[in-house]
Amino acid sequence: MYAFGVDYYPEHWPEERWPIDARLMAEAGVNIVRLAEFAWSRLEPQEGRFDFDWLDRAIEGLVAQGIRVILGTPTASPPPWLMEAHPDLYRVDDQGRRLTFGNRREYCPNHPLYHDYTRAIVTALAEHYAEHPHVVGWQIDNEFGDHCYCPVCRRAFQDWLRHRYAGLAALNAAWGTIFWSHVYTEWAQIPVPAATGGSPNPGLALDFARFASDSYVAYQQFQIDILRRHTARQFITHNLMGFKYGKLNYYDLARSLDLVSWDNYPRTQWSFTAELDPSGPALAAATMYGLKGQPFWVMEQQAGPGGWELVSAMPRPGELRLWAYQQIAHGADGLVFFRWRTARYGTEQYWHGLLEHDARPGRRYEEVARLGAELRRAGEKIPESRVEAPVAMLLSYDSRFAFQIQPNNPGYSYAEHFHALYRAFHERNVAVAVVDATADLSSYRLVLAPPLYVLPAAVAANLESYVRAGGTLVCFFRSGVKDAANAVVNQPLPGLLAELCGVEVTSYDSLPPGVENGLEWAVPELANAAPGRARAWADILTPGSAEIVARYTQDYYAGQPAITRNRYGSGSAVYIGTIGDAATHATLVDWLIGQTGVTAPLTAPAGVEITVRNHASGRLLFVLNHTALSQDVQLDGPYHNLLGEPIRVEGTLTLAPRDVWILEQTD
C-alpha cells in the first residue's frame, strides 16, 4: 500500500467536525495523517500537566476510517508560558538581536533548559503512544535550520572547537589568526561570527557553520534517543527543505533517521511565478534520495496556493497531481499533502489546503482524490522500485558553506550554478543522482563535481580512484582552493586535483556583472557547435598533460584555454574554468553524454519529463507533461498502463496538458 496522506490539525476545528474530515479523507484514498507537530500548547497547557485526551479521540476517529498516524514532536513552536518564563531561550540573530514571541523556531537549539523541556514533552508523548498500534512513525520538530548567536551558543561553539582541535595553537595555525592580530590565548576569547563583527576570519566562519549544523544534528539526536528508548517499531523522520536550503549539512542530519522526508512547495509567495521550472523539484528529490541512497517521503506536498502575507497563484488544473507524480517518479515512497483544510486564522491563513476555509471539498480535493484512487491501483508496485542514474553530481556542504562566506564574485551562487548544471541534464531526461563527495562512485558513467572550493584529501583520493578505474569526471573553477580549515592551499590550483586534471591555473579573472567572454570550441566533436559564453569567472589555464576543449576569445587572455580534458588511468577528467550560459551548458552536456554513452530512456518534446524507477521484473516509466499543451511521445516498445484501465500501450502516446502516465515494462 502506497503511503498517501494529509497533514491535519484537529485542534484547529470543533470536535464535531472531526468525523466528517476523517470520512472525506478516507473517500479520497488517504491512509496516513501527520498530527500534532505544532500542538505543544494543547498537549502541555501548563508546565508538567499533559493533556492527550483530545489527541486520543482524534486518532480514534481516523483509525475508524482505516487511517494510520505519524506524530510530530512539537518542539518547533514552544508554548507562550514557557518562553514568557524563560526569555533567554529565544535565539539571537546574527545582528545580536534576541527574537521575541510570535513565529516558530524561535528557540536556541543548544540551551540546556530548552533540552529539559524538550525531554519532558517528548518523553510524555513517547510513553503514551509508543505502543499504539496505529501510530506508525514520528517526525522530529519541523524544518530545522536557523543559526543562533547567543551566549549559550558561543560557549557551545568554543567547546565544539576544543574537540575539533588539539589545542589553541593548532586552531590559531589552522585559521591563520596572526592576520589582524587575532591570535587567541584563551578559548573564551573566540567569538561567534555575528554581523556586528564585520567580515569574519574564513576559518572561524566555516567552523561556526559546521557547528551550527551540528547543533541541530545533536538536538535531533537528543529527541531520537528519547523515542528509541520507548520504541523500535515506529519509524523516525524529519521534514527537510530540499536542495535550496543551504544552512545545514543534510547528510549529517539524515544519518540517524530511518527515512528522509521533505516539504515540496513548487509555487509560493516566495517563488511567485506563472511558469515553473520542473527541474527545481526534481533536483530537490534527487538530493533527498541521495542523502541515504534510498526512497524518501514528501511530508508536506503543496495542496493549494502558498502564502502568508501574499497569495501565490492558484495551481492550475492537473498541477497538484503532476507535482505529486513528479516526486513519486524521483523516489517518493510516501506523499502527504499540506494541509487538509485551509486555516481561518494565524499566519498561514493563505497557505491553502485541500479544503477551502469553509471546509468545502472543491476542485483541489477532487484532483487529489483521483490521485488517491490511482495509487490504490498502482501503489503496490511503486515502493518495490528504485531510482537508478548513470550520472552523479557531488554536493559538498563544506564548499557550499564556504561560498556563502566568500562568494568570490557577486554573480556567483553555488546553489544556482549546481541547479543550472542539473537543469541541462533534466531537460534531456538524463537521470542524475546527487551524492556526497565521499560516496562510492563506481556505478556512475559520468560524475560532475561543482566547485570543490574546500577539498579534503580523502575526497581528492576518491575522485582519483574513480577516474583511474575508467570514470569520467568534470571539475570546475575554484576547486581545490581551500583546505579543511578554509585556508588557501600553498600549491598551484586546482590544488589536489592538479595532477588528475593535467592542468594548472596560472591566473584568474573575476568578471564584473554584465561582462562576458567568448568561448570557441577546440575539439573535433564540437566543430559545428555554436560559440559559448563565459560569465562571472575565468580561470586562465596552462595545460600539462591535458588537451584543450575550449579557448577564450576576448580580453588579454584571448586564445588561452578555458576548458580542458585529461586522460588519466582508464578514465578522463574534464576541467571547466568558467561559468557558461544555458546554451554553453547544453553544448557541454550533449558532448559529455556522447563521450560517456549515457542515454535518456526516451526522446521527448520540451517540457515532457520521462523518469524511470526499476524493479526486479522490469521498469516503471513515468511520463509527465509539464506544459499546457498536448504532447506526443514515441514509445520504444509495448507497455502496460498502471493508471486507469490496464491496457497495452505502444506506438505514440498522446499526453493531455499537465497529464501523467505510469507505464510498466516487464521482462
Side-chain angles (χ1 to χ4, degrees):
M1 178 174 60
Y2 191 86
F4 182 70
V6 293
D7 299 306
Y8 185 43
Y9 301 89
E11 67 272 24
H12 294 180
W13 310 107
E15 192 161 341
E16 57 267 25
R17 174 70 198 187
W18 298 356
I20 301 171
D21 285 334
R23 175 180 57 79
L24 287 171
M25 290 177 195
E27 290 174 358
V30 167
N31 56 47
I32 200 159
V33 163
R34 185 189 69 178
L35 298 172
E37 84 279 7
F38 288 124
W40 193 344
S41 62
R42 184 74 184 270
L43 295 167
E44 190 181 6
Q46 294 177 343
E47 182 176 351
R49 183 171 74 82
F50 300 104
D51 178 10
F52 301 142
D53 290 346
W54 67 273
L55 186 54
D56 290 343
R57 294 192 299 274
I59 292 173
E60 288 171 6
L62 294 167
V63 170
Q65 294 288 344
I67 297 172
R68 301 166 297 159
V69 169
I70 299 167
L71 290 178
T73 64
T75 51
S77 191
W81 60 258
L82 173 55
M83 304 307 283
E84 178 69 18
H86 304 286
D88 60 322
L89 296 180
Y90 286 107
R91 277 192 303 110
V92 172
D93 69 13
D94 66 347
Q95 302 292 326
R97 302 170 299 197
R98 193 172 287 277
L99 274 61
T100 59
F101 197 81
N103 204 282
R104 59 184 183 182
R105 276 207 326 269
E106 307 106 326
Y107 63 83
C108 166
N110 288 302
H111 204 296
L113 185 60
Y114 199 73
H115 287 204
D116 290 342
Y117 283 100
T118 295
R119 182 185 297 107
I121 184 64
V122 175
T123 299
L125 280 165
E127 289 174 345
H128 194 79
Y129 291 107
E131 300 303 323
H132 196 296
H134 301 287
V135 175
V136 298
W138 297 86
Q139 175 190 295
I140 303 293
D141 204 274
N142 185 270
E143 297 180 341
F144 284 135
D146 296 302
H147 296 179
C148 180
Y149 299 79
C150 76
V152 169
C153 286
R154 179 177 177 180
R155 291 191 295 272
F157 178 45
Q158 293 161 355
D159 288 340
W160 184 91
L161 292 169
R162 283 191 183 95
H163 287 91
R164 183 172 179 86
Y165 294 96
L168 272 175
L171 179 146
N172 282 318
W175 289 0
T177 56
I178 192 65
F179 186 82
W180 278 352
S181 190
H182 283 182
V183 178
Y184 299 107
T185 56
E186 299 288 343
W187 292 101
Q189 297 167 356
I190 300 173
V192 294
T196 51
S199 295
N201 179 298
L204 183 152
L206 178 56
D207 272 341
F208 184 80
R210 292 166 170 151
F211 156 78
S213 181
D214 284 355
S215 296
Y216 283 102
V217 173
Y219 181 57
Q220 176 180 263
Q221 189 64 51
F222 176 70
Q223 298 198 37
I224 291 173
D225 290 344
I226 295 170
L227 293 172
R228 280 288 168 250
R229 284 195 289 269
H230 293 84
T231 179
R233 176 185 62 84
Q234 298 158 325
F235 69 77
I236 299 175
T237 189
H238 171 74
N239 56 328
L240 293 82
M241 291 180 279
F243 172 79
K244 284 186 177 180
Y245 194 77
K247 290 186 179 180
L248 299 181
N249 185 324
Y250 275 171
Y251 292 109
D252 293 341
L253 198 67
R255 191 165 293 116
S256 293
L257 298 174
D258 295 314
L259 62 89
V260 166
S261 62
W262 82 287
D263 298 345
N264 180 33
Y265 295 105
R267 185 186 288 127
T268 69
Q269 74 172 65
W270 299 288
S271 56
F272 208 121
T273 179
E275 296 299 322
L276 295 176
D277 178 359
S279 70
L283 171 56
T287 304
M288 297 298 98
Y289 198 109
L291 295 179
K292 296 180 76 70
Q294 64 186 39
F296 57 91
W297 282 31
V298 180
M299 197 59 74
E300 297 183 14
Q301 174 69 29
Q302 187 163 356
W308 289 4
E309 293 79 15
L310 303 174
V311 181
S312 71
M314 178 69 70
R316 273 36 191 170
E319 280 190 329
L320 295 184
R321 177 174 174 267
L322 174 65
W323 297 342
Y325 273 126
Q326 185 187 37
Q327 291 302 303
I328 295 171
H330 286 274
D333 276 1
L335 197 76
V336 182
F337 281 88
F338 183 91
R339 62 178 67 216
W340 171 245
R341 178 177 173 182
T342 312
R344 292 181 50 238
Y345 30 64
T347 301
E348 294 185 350
Q349 288 174 310
Y350 299 126
W351 206 283
H352 292 66
L354 294 180
L355 304 190
E356 304 297 345
H357 289 97
D358 58 7
R360 283 177 299 128
R363 173 175 66 82
R364 299 194 304 279
Y365 172 86
E366 296 298 332
E367 187 171 316
V368 170
R370 175 191 174 189
L371 174 64
E374 291 172 341
L375 289 174
R376 277 198 296 268
R377 292 191 296 269
E380 294 294 337
K381 294 182 178 291
I382 293 170
E384 300 172 357
S385 62
R386 309 269 302 179
V387 175
E388 299 173 359
V391 179
M393 292 181 67
L394 308 185
L395 174 55
S396 165
Y397 279 102
D398 272 357
S399 292
R400 189 171 188 173
F401 293 161
F403 275 122
Q404 290 167 2
I405 298 161
Q406 296 173 310
N408 283 239
N409 181 284
Y412 184 67
S413 161
Y414 174 90
E416 291 175 5
H417 182 214
F418 196 109
H419 186 178
L421 295 168
Y422 178 90
R423 183 185 295 113
F425 287 93
H426 182 267
E427 289 173 345
R428 287 153 179 76
N429 288 312
V430 172
V432 176
V434 177
V435 301
D436 184 69
T438 60
D440 179 3
L441 305 175
S442 59
S443 65
Y444 302 108
R445 295 189 182 186
L446 173 63
V447 172
L448 284 81
L452 292 169
Y453 190 46
V454 176
L455 180 62
V459 172
N462 191 36
L463 301 183
E464 191 273 343
S465 296
Y466 167 72
V467 175
R468 183 182 294 277
T472 298
L473 173 70
V474 183
C475 298
F476 292 84
F477 62 98
R478 308 312 282 156
S479 290
V481 176
K482 300 290 194 83
D483 64 16
N486 211 12
V488 176
V489 299
N490 187 24
Q491 59 192 123
L493 300 183
L496 296 176
L497 297 176
E499 181 181 355
L500 175 61
C501 294
V503 71
E504 181 179 312
V505 179
T506 53
S507 185
Y508 48 71
D509 192 10
S510 184
L511 304 179
V515 175
E516 296 183 352
N517 204 316
L519 295 174
E520 61 180 7
W521 307 107
V523 290
E525 310 94 277
L526 296 176
N528 296 321
R533 302 300 298 169
R535 299 174 173 179
W537 194 268
D539 275 348
I540 302 166
L541 308 175
T542 297
S545 54
E547 63 177 311
I548 300 171
V549 174
R551 294 183 174 89
Y552 298 109
T553 64
Q554 298 167 223
D555 218 312
Y556 67 93
Y557 44 95
Q560 295 297 308
I563 302 173
T564 60
R565 175 175 56 185
N566 188 46
R567 310 292 182 178
Y568 187 92
S570 299
S572 62
V574 175
Y575 187 90
I576 299 177
T578 187
I579 305 173
D581 58 7
T584 303
H585 287 152
T587 298
L588 284 169
V589 166
D590 286 338
W591 177 66
L592 288 166
I593 62 179
Q595 294 290 303
T596 55
V598 169
T599 59
L602 291 177
T603 301
V608 174
E609 180 177 4
I610 300 179
T611 303
V612 173
R613 290 186 63 157
N614 293 303
H615 57 77
S617 58
R619 66 177 185 168
L620 302 180
L621 194 73
F622 291 77
V623 187
L624 304 96
N625 181 8
H626 291 280
T627 77
L629 301 173
S630 294
Q631 301 285 354
D632 290 338
V633 174
Q634 189 66 35
L635 301 178
D636 59 352
Y639 291 84
H640 294 286
N641 177 33
L642 289 187
L643 303 182
E645 295 298 321
I647 58 175
R648 180 183 173 97
V649 182
E650 57 186 325
T652 300
L653 174 66
T654 299
L655 293 95
R658 303 188 183 93
D659 198 9
V660 177
W661 286 64
I662 304 179
L663 304 174
E664 183 179 25
Q665 186 179 51
T666 57
D667 294 336

